[in-house]
Amino acid sequence: MCAWWQSQDTSGSRLLSPVASPQCDLPPSTDVSIAGRALLVNGDPYEVRGLAYSPLLGYEARMVAPPDIFTQRHAARWSLDLHHLAALGANTLRLYNWDPAEHEHDIAFLDACAAVGLRVILPISNYFLDHPDMVKRIVYRVASHRSLLMWAVSNEAAGTTPPASPKAREAFAKVARLTAEVRKAEKLVNTWHPISVPLTCDVEAMLELTKVGAVVDVDAFNCYWATDQTFPVDFYAQLAAASSRPALLSEFGIDALDNIAGTVDEDVQANHLVAEWRSLVSADGSGGATIGAVVFEWLDEPWKAVKSAELGGACEPNRGGIRAGWGPNALPDQCANEAFFGISELLPNGSLHLKRAYFALRREWAGAGRECALGPMAARDSEVSVADSVFLRYATGGLGVASLLLVACVITALRHFRLRPNTLHDEQRELADQADCDTQEDDGEPELKSSRK
């Protein structure tokens, strides 16, 4: 496993010294079960502190929906992401794309997740609604993997269609068949994992899904709320009356673009995510109504801007292009700008910019039973340089997962010997240094600034 590296300045020179590494690796086997409204992993209650994870193939491909890149040949793209995600304090990743043809002999990504203590909500995407016979190829290959937490069968399959409409019921019937295929395939390999079906934030949709006989173990909802109030206001009461299953908020979040001002406001995004986690969506914040939540999302996805018009009415003002959004909604500016939801951003030179929300969440999640971060230096800088990516691409051609993660750790250390030119994100780097988000000694709470009105 990776050693932690601690920096200190002595006579103007930066020195690096190794610090004992914690044990990040997941146990050799994982038993996932349900007791009442609780999710258990190896017999212990498990709260999901998750990130929605859809990495781009590259900056040049940012306007195209990314394919399944969770393979060894794309390890240079996702390995450093995992390094930062583990350091964040997340314990779960939710994926959206898993192509069985890519993973007959390649589960390097799942191995890498397990090595840094991350569990995975694995998708059976909407593509399989019309190809249910292909599902068993996914299940047979990954059902026994120790990183698998649960299945996410489809995603908002009925869209915004009224749940009781014929169109929605037709979609739910396909989802039900898909859930049955997953459960049947797992029985054949003698494994069991919870099945979730992420829906729009509507209890009625869950009830309609139940009516058609879907196999559901964990109720899952994608909900985009204000920081202090669910929508509807009695959402949790409705859910408690309708279901006795555990509930997961499979998406929650806010974009970083202030649509009213037309500029990025990272403070509002950071403050909103932390406040909503504390007061509404975490197990404690929801009063025990949830088993946790998944932040949407890790990385900005510019390609989604072109889809915004399909999600709802245009925002006011309607900025169009990459700044297109949909509304009205409960977010502070009444607009969801699809291309700006990430807590990180891929820059033109291939660098990764960590937004302020990353550091705010890291402070919030630090010490929450997740001491498996890859070390203080992982979140020290707000960019991962393109040179690191190039080095990683060539250095990992024939390496296994353990070696790959070791290379990532070496890169993190070596980066701090280099003198780097000023960039547009020096202010963000200074923020990371000042916040001390990455120190074990910092037990303070993140300061929440007033949200945009």
mmCIF file with all atom_site columns, all heavy atoms in Angstrom, residues 343-363:
data_model
loop_
_atom_site.group_PDB
_atom_site.id
_atom_site.type_symbol
_atom_site.label_atom_id
_atom_site.label_alt_id
_atom_site.label_comp_id
_atom_site.label_asym_id
_atom_site.label_entity_id
_atom_site.label_seq_id
_atom_site.pdbx_PDB_ins_code
_atom_site.Cartn_x
_atom_site.Cartn_y
_atom_site.Cartn_z
_atom_site.occupancy
_atom_site.B_iso_or_equiv
_atom_site.pdbx_formal_charge
_atom_site.auth_seq_id
_atom_site.auth_comp_id
_atom_site.auth_asym_id
_atom_site.auth_atom_id
_atom_site.pdbx_PDB_model_num
ATOM 1   N N   . ILE A 1 343 ? -17.417 18.188 -8.731  1.00 0.00 ? 343 ILE A N   1
ATOM 2   C CA  . ILE A 1 343 ? -16.591 18.829 -7.705  1.00 0.00 ? 343 ILE A CA  1
ATOM 3   C C   . ILE A 1 343 ? -15.142 18.872 -8.181  1.00 0.00 ? 343 ILE A C   1
ATOM 4   O O   . ILE A 1 343 ? -14.244 19.251 -7.441  1.00 0.00 ? 343 ILE A O   1
ATOM 5   C CB  . ILE A 1 343 ? -16.710 18.130 -6.338  1.00 0.00 ? 343 ILE A CB  1
ATOM 6   C CG1 . ILE A 1 343 ? -16.196 16.691 -6.382  1.00 0.00 ? 343 ILE A CG1 1
ATOM 7   C CG2 . ILE A 1 343 ? -18.155 18.169 -5.847  1.00 0.00 ? 343 ILE A CG2 1
ATOM 8   C CD1 . ILE A 1 343 ? -16.077 16.040 -5.004  1.00 0.00 ? 343 ILE A CD1 1
ATOM 9   N N   . SER A 1 344 ? -14.935 18.478 -9.434  1.00 0.00 ? 344 SER A N   1
ATOM 10  C CA  . SER A 1 344 ? -13.649 18.654 -10.096 1.00 0.00 ? 344 SER A CA  1
ATOM 11  C C   . SER A 1 344 ? -13.919 18.946 -11.563 1.00 0.00 ? 344 SER A C   1
ATOM 12  O O   . SER A 1 344 ? -15.033 18.747 -12.060 1.00 0.00 ? 344 SER A O   1
ATOM 13  C CB  . SER A 1 344 ? -12.758 17.418 -9.931  1.00 0.00 ? 344 SER A CB  1
ATOM 14  O OG  . SER A 1 344 ? -13.276 16.319 -10.659 1.00 0.00 ? 344 SER A OG  1
ATOM 15  N N   . GLU A 1 345 ? -12.878 19.414 -12.243 1.00 0.00 ? 345 GLU A N   1
ATOM 16  C CA  . GLU A 1 345 ? -13.021 19.827 -13.632 1.00 0.00 ? 345 GLU A CA  1
ATOM 17  C C   . GLU A 1 345 ? -11.773 19.444 -14.402 1.00 0.00 ? 345 GLU A C   1
ATOM 18  O O   . GLU A 1 345 ? -10.661 19.660 -13.933 1.00 0.00 ? 345 GLU A O   1
ATOM 19  C CB  . GLU A 1 345 ? -13.227 21.347 -13.696 1.00 0.00 ? 345 GLU A CB  1
ATOM 20  C CG  . GLU A 1 345 ? -13.243 21.931 -15.093 1.00 0.00 ? 345 GLU A CG  1
ATOM 21  C CD  . GLU A 1 345 ? -13.174 23.449 -15.090 1.00 0.00 ? 345 GLU A CD  1
ATOM 22  O OE1 . GLU A 1 345 ? -13.013 24.053 -14.002 1.00 0.00 ? 345 GLU A OE1 1
ATOM 23  O OE2 . GLU A 1 345 ? -13.273 24.041 -16.177 1.00 0.00 ? 345 GLU A OE2 1
ATOM 24  N N   . LEU A 1 346 ? -11.965 18.878 -15.588 1.00 0.00 ? 346 LEU A N   1
ATOM 25  C CA  . LEU A 1 346 ? -10.843 18.541 -16.454 1.00 0.00 ? 346 LEU A CA  1
ATOM 26  C C   . LEU A 1 346 ? -10.514 19.765 -17.307 1.00 0.00 ? 346 LEU A C   1
ATOM 27  O O   . LEU A 1 346 ? -11.370 20.296 -18.017 1.00 0.00 ? 346 LEU A O   1
ATOM 28  C CB  . LEU A 1 346 ? -11.196 17.355 -17.349 1.00 0.00 ? 346 LEU A CB  1
ATOM 29  C CG  . LEU A 1 346 ? -10.053 16.710 -18.135 1.00 0.00 ? 346 LEU A CG  1
ATOM 30  C CD1 . LEU A 1 346 ? -8.997  16.137 -17.195 1.00 0.00 ? 346 LEU A CD1 1
ATOM 31  C CD2 . LEU A 1 346 ? -10.597 15.624 -19.065 1.00 0.00 ? 346 LEU A CD2 1
ATOM 32  N N   . LEU A 1 347 ? -9.265  20.223 -17.224 1.00 0.00 ? 347 LEU A N   1
ATOM 33  C CA  . LEU A 1 347 ? -8.840  21.444 -17.904 1.00 0.00 ? 347 LEU A CA  1
ATOM 34  C C   . LEU A 1 347 ? -8.269  21.132 -19.291 1.00 0.00 ? 347 LEU A C   1
ATOM 35  O O   . LEU A 1 347 ? -7.931  19.986 -19.590 1.00 0.00 ? 347 LEU A O   1
ATOM 36  C CB  . LEU A 1 347 ? -7.797  22.163 -17.051 1.00 0.00 ? 347 LEU A CB  1
ATOM 37  C CG  . LEU A 1 347 ? -8.262  22.577 -15.650 1.00 0.00 ? 347 LEU A CG  1
ATOM 38  C CD1 . LEU A 1 347 ? -7.124  23.230 -14.887 1.00 0.00 ? 347 LEU A CD1 1
ATOM 39  C CD2 . LEU A 1 347 ? -9.470  23.504 -15.723 1.00 0.00 ? 347 LEU A CD2 1
ATOM 40  N N   . PRO A 1 348 ? -8.141  22.162 -20.151 1.00 0.00 ? 348 PRO A N   1
ATOM 41  C CA  . PRO A 1 348 ? -7.670  21.926 -21.529 1.00 0.00 ? 348 PRO A CA  1
ATOM 42  C C   . PRO A 1 348 ? -6.311  21.248 -21.616 1.00 0.00 ? 348 PRO A C   1
ATOM 43  O O   . PRO A 1 348 ? -6.058  20.496 -22.563 1.00 0.00 ? 348 PRO A O   1
ATOM 44  C CB  . PRO A 1 348 ? -7.620  23.337 -22.117 1.00 0.00 ? 348 PRO A CB  1
ATOM 45  C CG  . PRO A 1 348 ? -8.656  24.100 -21.363 1.00 0.00 ? 348 PRO A CG  1
ATOM 46  C CD  . PRO A 1 348 ? -8.596  23.557 -19.960 1.00 0.00 ? 348 PRO A CD  1
ATOM 47  N N   . ASN A 1 349 ? -5.431  21.498 -20.655 1.00 0.00 ? 349 ASN A N   1
ATOM 48  C CA  . ASN A 1 349 ? -4.103  20.880 -20.710 1.00 0.00 ? 349 ASN A CA  1
ATOM 49  C C   . ASN A 1 349 ? -4.070  19.498 -20.062 1.00 0.00 ? 349 ASN A C   1
ATOM 50  O O   . ASN A 1 349 ? -3.007  18.908 -19.906 1.00 0.00 ? 349 ASN A O   1
ATOM 51  C CB  . ASN A 1 349 ? -3.065  21.787 -20.051 1.00 0.00 ? 349 ASN A CB  1
ATOM 52  C CG  . ASN A 1 349 ? -3.273  21.930 -18.545 1.00 0.00 ? 349 ASN A CG  1
ATOM 53  O OD1 . ASN A 1 349 ? -4.263  21.454 -18.001 1.00 0.00 ? 349 ASN A OD1 1
ATOM 54  N ND2 . ASN A 1 349 ? -2.339  22.597 -17.884 1.00 0.00 ? 349 ASN A ND2 1
ATOM 55  N N   . GLY A 1 350 ? -5.227  18.986 -19.687 1.00 0.00 ? 350 GLY A N   1
ATOM 56  C CA  . GLY A 1 350 ? -5.291  17.660 -19.081 1.00 0.00 ? 350 GLY A CA  1
ATOM 57  C C   . GLY A 1 350 ? -5.180  17.657 -17.582 1.00 0.00 ? 350 GLY A C   1
ATOM 58  O O   . GLY A 1 350 ? -5.271  16.601 -16.952 1.00 0.00 ? 350 GLY A O   1
ATOM 59  N N   . SER A 1 351 ? -4.983  18.830 -16.979 1.00 0.00 ? 351 SER A N   1
ATOM 60  C CA  . SER A 1 351 ? -4.911  18.911 -15.523 1.00 0.00 ? 351 SER A CA  1
ATOM 61  C C   . SER A 1 351 ? -6.295  18.730 -14.909 1.00 0.00 ? 351 SER A C   1
ATOM 62  O O   . SER A 1 351 ? -7.322  18.989 -15.548 1.00 0.00 ? 351 SER A O   1
ATOM 63  C CB  . SER A 1 351 ? -4.348  20.269 -15.083 1.00 0.00 ? 351 SER A CB  1
ATOM 64  O OG  . SER A 1 351 ? -3.040  20.451 -15.561 1.00 0.00 ? 351 SER A OG  1
ATOM 65  N N   . LEU A 1 352 ? -6.321  18.321 -13.661 1.00 0.00 ? 352 LEU A N   1
ATOM 66  C CA  . LEU A 1 352 ? -7.568  18.165 -12.924 1.00 0.00 ? 352 LEU A CA  1
ATOM 67  C C   . LEU A 1 352 ? -7.661  19.279 -11.888 1.00 0.00 ? 352 LEU A C   1
ATOM 68  O O   . LEU A 1 352 ? -6.807  19.389 -10.998 1.00 0.00 ? 352 LEU A O   1
ATOM 69  C CB  . LEU A 1 352 ? -7.604  16.802 -12.230 1.00 0.00 ? 352 LEU A CB  1
ATOM 70  C CG  . LEU A 1 352 ? -8.910  16.451 -11.512 1.00 0.00 ? 352 LEU A CG  1
ATOM 71  C CD1 . LEU A 1 352 ? -10.038 16.261 -12.528 1.00 0.00 ? 352 LEU A CD1 1
ATOM 72  C CD2 . LEU A 1 352 ? -8.738  15.204 -10.667 1.00 0.00 ? 352 LEU A CD2 1
ATOM 73  N N   . HIS A 1 353 ? -8.664  20.114 -12.016 1.00 0.00 ? 353 HIS A N   1
ATOM 74  C CA  . HIS A 1 353 ? -8.903  21.184 -11.049 1.00 0.00 ? 353 HIS A CA  1
ATOM 75  C C   . HIS A 1 353 ? -9.887  20.696 -9.995  1.00 0.00 ? 353 HIS A C   1
ATOM 76  O O   . HIS A 1 353 ? -11.013 20.326 -10.314 1.00 0.00 ? 353 HIS A O   1
ATOM 77  C CB  . HIS A 1 353 ? -9.460  22.415 -11.766 1.00 0.00 ? 353 HIS A CB  1
ATOM 78  C CG  . HIS A 1 353 ? -10.035 23.452 -10.855 1.00 0.00 ? 353 HIS A CG  1
ATOM 79  N ND1 . HIS A 1 353 ? -9.307  24.030 -9.829  1.00 0.00 ? 353 HIS A ND1 1
ATOM 80  C CD2 . HIS A 1 353 ? -11.273 24.018 -10.800 1.00 0.00 ? 353 HIS A CD2 1
ATOM 81  C CE1 . HIS A 1 353 ? -10.072 24.910 -9.200  1.00 0.00 ? 353 HIS A CE1 1
ATOM 82  N NE2 . HIS A 1 353 ? -11.265 24.911 -9.767  1.00 0.00 ? 353 HIS A NE2 1
ATOM 83  N N   . LEU A 1 354 ? -9.455  20.663 -8.731  1.00 0.00 ? 354 LEU A N   1
ATOM 84  C CA  . LEU A 1 354 ? -10.337 20.300 -7.634  1.00 0.00 ? 354 LEU A CA  1
ATOM 85  C C   . LEU A 1 354 ? -11.041 21.557 -7.135  1.00 0.00 ? 354 LEU A C   1
ATOM 86  O O   . LEU A 1 354 ? -10.396 22.506 -6.704  1.00 0.00 ? 354 LEU A O   1
ATOM 87  C CB  . LEU A 1 354 ? -9.542  19.658 -6.490  1.00 0.00 ? 354 LEU A CB  1
ATOM 88  C CG  . LEU A 1 354 ? -8.754  18.389 -6.840  1.00 0.00 ? 354 LEU A CG  1
ATOM 89  C CD1 . LEU A 1 354 ? -7.981  17.901 -5.623  1.00 0.00 ? 354 LEU A CD1 1
ATOM 90  C CD2 . LEU A 1 354 ? -9.682  17.310 -7.367  1.00 0.00 ? 354 LEU A CD2 1
ATOM 91  N N   . LYS A 1 355 ? -12.356 21.545 -7.188  1.00 0.00 ? 355 LYS A N   1
ATOM 92  C CA  . LYS A 1 355 ? -13.120 22.721 -6.770  1.00 0.00 ? 355 LYS A CA  1
ATOM 93  C C   . LYS A 1 355 ? -13.176 22.810 -5.240  1.00 0.00 ? 355 LYS A C   1
ATOM 94  O O   . LYS A 1 355 ? -12.814 21.874 -4.521  1.00 0.00 ? 355 LYS A O   1
ATOM 95  C CB  . LYS A 1 355 ? -14.542 22.648 -7.339  1.00 0.00 ? 355 LYS A CB  1
ATOM 96  C CG  . LYS A 1 355 ? -14.613 22.638 -8.861  1.00 0.00 ? 355 LYS A CG  1
ATOM 97  C CD  . LYS A 1 355 ? -16.064 22.618 -9.313  1.00 0.00 ? 355 LYS A CD  1
ATOM 98  C CE  . LYS A 1 355 ? -16.194 22.457 -10.812 1.00 0.00 ? 355 LYS A CE  1
ATOM 99  N NZ  . LYS A 1 355 ? -17.618 22.402 -11.251 1.00 0.00 ? 355 LYS A NZ  1
ATOM 100 N N   . ARG A 1 356 ? -13.668 23.929 -4.756  1.00 0.00 ? 356 ARG A N   1
ATOM 101 C CA  . ARG A 1 356 ? -13.740 24.133 -3.314  1.00 0.00 ? 356 ARG A CA  1
ATOM 102 C C   . ARG A 1 356 ? -14.658 23.114 -2.645  1.00 0.00 ? 356 ARG A C   1
ATOM 103 O O   . ARG A 1 356 ? -14.479 22.784 -1.478  1.00 0.00 ? 356 ARG A O   1
ATOM 104 C CB  . ARG A 1 356 ? -14.187 25.561 -3.021  1.00 0.00 ? 356 ARG A CB  1
ATOM 105 C CG  . ARG A 1 356 ? -13.216 26.571 -3.585  1.00 0.00 ? 356 ARG A CG  1
ATOM 106 C CD  . ARG A 1 356 ? -13.555 27.998 -3.220  1.00 0.00 ? 356 ARG A CD  1
ATOM 107 N NE  . ARG A 1 356 ? -12.583 28.905 -3.849  1.00 0.00 ? 356 ARG A NE  1
ATOM 108 C CZ  . ARG A 1 356 ? -12.451 30.172 -3.555  1.00 0.00 ? 356 ARG A CZ  1
ATOM 109 N NH1 . ARG A 1 356 ? -13.232 30.709 -2.638  1.00 0.00 ? 356 ARG A NH1 1
ATOM 110 N NH2 . ARG A 1 356 ? -11.561 30.923 -4.173  1.00 0.00 ? 356 ARG A NH2 1
ATOM 111 N N   . ALA A 1 357 ? -15.635 22.622 -3.386  1.00 0.00 ? 357 ALA A N   1
ATOM 112 C CA  . ALA A 1 357 ? -16.528 21.608 -2.825  1.00 0.00 ? 357 ALA A CA  1
ATOM 113 C C   . ALA A 1 357 ? -15.760 20.354 -2.428  1.00 0.00 ? 357 ALA A C   1
ATOM 114 O O   . ALA A 1 357 ? -16.134 19.669 -1.467  1.00 0.00 ? 357 ALA A O   1
ATOM 115 C CB  . ALA A 1 357 ? -17.624 21.257 -3.833  1.00 0.00 ? 357 ALA A CB  1
ATOM 116 N N   . TYR A 1 358 ? -14.715 20.029 -3.168  1.00 0.00 ? 358 TYR A N   1
ATOM 117 C CA  . TYR A 1 358 ? -13.906 18.853 -2.828  1.00 0.00 ? 358 TYR A CA  1
ATOM 118 C C   . TYR A 1 358 ? -13.359 19.003 -1.415  1.00 0.00 ? 358 TYR A C   1
ATOM 119 O O   . TYR A 1 358 ? -13.451 18.080 -0.592  1.00 0.00 ? 358 TYR A O   1
ATOM 120 C CB  . TYR A 1 358 ? -12.767 18.683 -3.831  1.00 0.00 ? 358 TYR A CB  1
ATOM 121 C CG  . TYR A 1 358 ? -11.802 17.564 -3.461  1.00 0.00 ? 358 TYR A CG  1
ATOM 122 C CD1 . TYR A 1 358 ? -11.980 16.288 -3.966  1.00 0.00 ? 358 TYR A CD1 1
ATOM 123 C CD2 . TYR A 1 358 ? -10.734 17.795 -2.591  1.00 0.00 ? 358 TYR A CD2 1
ATOM 124 C CE1 . TYR A 1 358 ? -11.113 15.266 -3.629  1.00 0.00 ? 358 TYR A CE1 1
ATOM 125 C CE2 . TYR A 1 358 ? -9.858  16.777 -2.247  1.00 0.00 ? 358 TYR A CE2 1
ATOM 126 C CZ  . TYR A 1 358 ? -10.049 15.514 -2.765  1.00 0.00 ? 358 TYR A CZ  1
ATOM 127 O OH  . TYR A 1 358 ? -9.202  14.496 -2.406  1.00 0.00 ? 358 TYR A OH  1
ATOM 128 N N   . PHE A 1 359 ? -12.763 20.149 -1.122  1.00 0.00 ? 359 PHE A N   1
ATOM 129 C CA  . PHE A 1 359 ? -12.122 20.357 0.172   1.00 0.00 ? 359 PHE A CA  1
ATOM 130 C C   . PHE A 1 359 ? -13.150 20.481 1.294   1.00 0.00 ? 359 PHE A C   1
ATOM 131 O O   . PHE A 1 359 ? -12.913 20.020 2.414   1.00 0.00 ? 359 PHE A O   1
ATOM 132 C CB  . PHE A 1 359 ? -11.203 21.573 0.099   1.00 0.00 ? 359 PHE A CB  1
ATOM 133 C CG  . PHE A 1 359 ? -10.136 21.425 -0.940  1.00 0.00 ? 359 PHE A CG  1
ATOM 134 C CD1 . PHE A 1 359 ? -10.257 22.035 -2.177  1.00 0.00 ? 359 PHE A CD1 1
ATOM 135 C CD2 . PHE A 1 359 ? -9.023  20.636 -0.705  1.00 0.00 ? 359 PHE A CD2 1
ATOM 136 C CE1 . PHE A 1 359 ? -9.285  21.882 -3.148  1.00 0.00 ? 359 PHE A CE1 1
ATOM 137 C CE2 . PHE A 1 359 ? -8.042  20.471 -1.664  1.00 0.00 ? 359 PHE A CE2 1
ATOM 138 C CZ  . PHE A 1 359 ? -8.177  21.092 -2.896  1.00 0.00 ? 359 PHE A CZ  1
ATOM 139 N N   . ALA A 1 360 ? -14.299 21.076 0.993   1.00 0.00 ? 360 ALA A N   1
ATOM 140 C CA  . ALA A 1 360 ? -15.356 21.181 2.000   1.00 0.00 ? 360 ALA A CA  1
ATOM 141 C C   . ALA A 1 360 ? -15.875 19.802 2.379   1.00 0.00 ? 360 ALA A C   1
ATOM 142 O O   . ALA A 1 360 ? -16.077 19.494 3.564   1.00 0.00 ? 360 ALA A O   1
ATOM 143 C CB  . ALA A 1 360 ? -16.497 22.064 1.481   1.00 0.00 ? 360 ALA A CB  1
ATOM 144 N N   . LEU A 1 361 ? -16.098 18.951 1.389   1.00 0.00 ? 361 LEU A N   1
ATOM 145 C CA  . LEU A 1 361 ? -16.564 17.594 1.672   1.00 0.00 ? 361 LEU A CA  1
ATOM 146 C C   . LEU A 1 361 ? -15.493 16.786 2.388   1.00 0.00 ? 361 LEU A C   1
ATOM 147 O O   . LEU A 1 361 ? -15.796 15.975 3.272   1.00 0.00 ? 361 LEU A O   1
ATOM 148 C CB  . LEU A 1 361 ? -16.971 16.887 0.378   1.00 0.00 ? 361 LEU A CB  1
ATOM 149 C CG  . LEU A 1 361 ? -18.321 17.256 -0.210  1.00 0.00 ? 361 LEU A CG  1
ATOM 150 C CD1 . LEU A 1 361 ? -18.486 16.661 -1.592  1.00 0.00 ? 361 LEU A CD1 1
ATOM 151 C CD2 . LEU A 1 361 ? -19.457 16.805 0.706   1.00 0.00 ? 361 LEU A CD2 1
ATOM 152 N N   . ARG A 1 362 ? -14.244 16.999 2.018   1.00 0.00 ? 362 ARG A N   1
ATOM 153 C CA  . ARG A 1 362 ? -13.166 16.261 2.691   1.00 0.00 ? 362 ARG A CA  1
ATOM 154 C C   . ARG A 1 362 ? -13.152 16.576 4.177   1.00 0.00 ? 362 ARG A C   1
ATOM 155 O O   . ARG A 1 362 ? -12.981 15.684 5.017   1.00 0.00 ? 362 ARG A O   1
ATOM 156 C CB  . ARG A 1 362 ? -11.819 16.588 2.056   1.00 0.00 ? 362 ARG A CB  1
ATOM 157 C CG  . ARG A 1 362 ? -10.662 15.845 2.729   1.00 0.00 ? 362 ARG A CG  1
ATOM 158 C CD  . ARG A 1 362 ? -9.330  16.171 2.059   1.00 0.00 ? 362 ARG A CD  1
ATOM 159 N NE  . ARG A 1 362 ? -8.243  15.702 2.912   1.00 0.00 ? 362 ARG A NE  1
ATOM 160 C CZ  . ARG A 1 362 ? -7.520  14.624 2.667   1.00 0.00 ? 362 ARG A CZ  1
ATOM 161 N NH1 . ARG A 1 362 ? -7.773  13.885 1.619   1.00 0.00 ? 362 ARG A NH1 1
ATOM 162 N NH2 . ARG A 1 362 ? -6.546  14.278 3.484   1.00 0.00 ? 362 ARG A NH2 1
ATOM 163 N N   . ARG A 1 363 ? -13.324 17.836 4.521   1.00 0.00 ? 363 ARG A N   1
ATOM 164 C CA  . ARG A 1 363 ? -13.359 18.199 5.934   1.00 0.00 ? 363 ARG A CA  1
ATOM 165 C C   . ARG A 1 363 ? -14.578 17.591 6.624   1.00 0.00 ? 363 ARG A C   1
ATOM 166 O O   . ARG A 1 363 ? -14.510 17.164 7.765   1.00 0.00 ? 363 ARG A O   1
ATOM 167 C CB  . ARG A 1 363 ? -13.368 19.715 6.083   1.00 0.00 ? 363 ARG A CB  1
ATOM 168 C CG  . ARG A 1 363 ? -12.082 20.377 5.611   1.00 0.00 ? 363 ARG A CG  1
ATOM 169 C CD  . ARG A 1 363 ? -12.103 21.868 5.840   1.00 0.00 ? 363 ARG A CD  1
ATOM 170 N NE  . ARG A 1 363 ? -12.007 22.192 7.258   1.00 0.00 ? 363 ARG A NE  1
ATOM 171 C CZ  . ARG A 1 363 ? -11.967 23.424 7.732   1.00 0.00 ? 363 ARG A CZ  1
ATOM 172 N NH1 . ARG A 1 363 ? -12.055 24.444 6.901   1.00 0.00 ? 363 ARG A NH1 1
ATOM 173 N NH2 . ARG A 1 363 ? -11.856 23.646 9.023   1.00 0.00 ? 363 ARG A NH2 1
#
